[in-house]
Amino acid sequence: MATTLHEPLKADRDRSPRSGSGAGWRSLVPSEGNLRATSDHSPAPSGTGIWVGLAAIGMSFAALTSALLVRQGSTDWQHFALPRILYFNTVLLLASSVTLEVARRRIALFMGGRSSQVAVPLGWLLATMALGLFFVAGQYAAWLQLRSQGLYLPTNPSSSFFYLFTAVHLLHVLGGLGGLLSVTRKLKRLTLRRSTLDATSRYWHFMGILWMYLLFILWTRF
């Protein structure tokens, strides 16, 4: 008995994938052909992972704070004036959060097809990274100021905690700068996922909030 093969329907053919996985905003091709106007409907494991990571970071600094409070009760605790550059560094880090939010809005306009200039969001991302690098340099300058006062890591429990708090936070800031660099590269290639941008932004903003908390602890306990 002969078997009749029917030609696949046009709708079935149209549902075939047009691009590989992990294409972000380009993962779906709209009918009008605007690659940047697509939405990222894929699951965002980075969205969940970033909250888990931030919770772990927060708990680690909470543990360090508890250790500081216990150690401060000893008789050998030495109070010292915080380097004033720390307050300037705070302004730099908060300003970087502002520029990052501007960059996010500009990226949304660009990916939505309402802006044709990718250089505009890239410029704001570069400004964010520049402010972050200035913050890193400022923290190093704060360490140099303490060294000029004869305060080193093993000098006193208070100076040890100061270096520990600021160094661990600085390492996380460097990690955030690496994330921003990755976002910049993906934006240039038009392979940036919204979930990646959102996760990186949340991490960077958390670094600013965490630094405000640390500065308060340092100001009240030192």
Side-chain angles (χ1 to χ4, degrees), residues 27-39:
S27 57
L28 299 174
V29 180
S31 57
E32 65 274 12
N34 183 8
L35 296 178
R36 294 177 297 158
T38 59
S39 300

Side-chain angles (χ1 to χ4, degrees), residues 143-191:
W143 295 342
L144 293 180
Q145 290 184 17
L146 285 186
R147 292 181 59 184
S148 66
Q149 301 174 24
L151 296 173
Y152 299 90
L153 180 64
T155 300
N156 189 269
S158 57
S159 61
S160 299
F161 272 101
F162 177 88
Y163 282 107
L164 179 62
F165 270 101
T166 54
V168 174
H169 178 265
L170 192 61
L171 288 176
H172 286 90
V173 169
L174 291 175
L177 287 173
L180 290 173
L181 181 60
S182 177
V183 166
T184 302
R185 290 177 176 175
K186 291 181 179 180
L187 179 60
K188 289 181 179 179
R189 301 169 184 170
L190 296 182
T191 58

Side-chain angles (χ1 to χ4, degrees), residues 40 44 46 179 182-183 186 192-201:
D40 186 4
S46 58
S182 177
V183 166
K186 291 181 179 180
L192 177 62
R193 284 180 177 269
R194 292 182 183 177
S195 57
T196 301
L197 177 61
D198 291 341
T200 305
S201 299

Side-chain angles (χ1 to χ4, degrees), residues 11 15 44 46 71 84 99 109 113 145 172 221:
R15 282 198 292 265
S46 58
R71 190 65 178 85
R84 292 186 177 181
T99 56
L109 292 175
Q145 290 184 17
H172 286 90
R221 299 298 173 179

Side-chain angles (χ1 to χ4, degrees), residues 22-213:
W25 266 292
R26 301 179 64 180
S27 57
L28 299 174
V29 180
S31 57
E32 65 274 12
N34 183 8
L35 296 178
R36 294 177 297 158
T38 59
S39 300
D40 186 4
H41 297 290
S42 58
S46 58
T48 303
I50 193 63
W51 289 117
V52 174
L54 295 182
I57 295 173
M59 288 188 292
S60 64
F61 275 95
L64 289 175
T65 302
S66 299
L68 181 148
L69 295 178
V70 173
R71 190 65 178 85
Q72 190 187 16
S74 61
T75 57
D76 58 344
W77 187 269
Q78 178 182 347
H79 294 274
F80 59 88
L82 295 178
R84 292 186 177 181
I85 195 173
L86 293 179
Y87 304 106
F88 178 70
N89 296 344
T90 303
V91 175
L92 291 176
L93 197 56
L94 294 180
S96 69
S97 287
V98 175
T99 56
L100 180 56
E101 280 304 302
V102 175
R104 289 183 64 188
R105 294 176 183 271
R106 299 291 183 177
I107 291 173
L109 292 175
F110 174 74
M111 291 300 180
R114 288 172 286 175
S115 174
S116 60
Q117 299 294 327
V118 70
V120 175
L122 282 175
W124 286 102
L125 284 175
L126 292 176
T128 302
M129 288 189 290
L131 290 170
L133 289 174
F134 283 130
F135 174 84
V136 172
Q139 295 296 81
Y140 181 71
W143 295 342
L144 293 180
Q145 290 184 17
L146 285 186
R147 292 181 59 184
S148 66
Q149 301 174 24
L151 296 173
Y152 299 90
L153 180 64
T155 300
N156 189 269
S158 57
S159 61
S160 299
F161 272 101
F162 177 88
Y163 282 107
L164 179 62
F165 270 101
T166 54
V168 174
H169 178 265
L170 192 61
L171 288 176
H172 286 90
V173 169
L174 291 175
L177 287 173
L180 290 173
L181 181 60
S182 177
V183 166
T184 302
R185 290 177 176 175
K186 291 181 179 180
L187 179 60
K188 289 181 179 179
R189 301 169 184 170
L190 296 182
T191 58
L192 177 62
R193 284 180 177 269
R194 292 182 183 177
S195 57
T196 301
L197 177 61
D198 291 341
T200 305
S201 299
R202 293 188 186 108
Y203 180 91
W204 190 258
H205 294 324
F206 182 76
M207 288 299 104
I209 296 173
L210 181 60
W211 173 247
M212 293 292 293
Y213 163 77

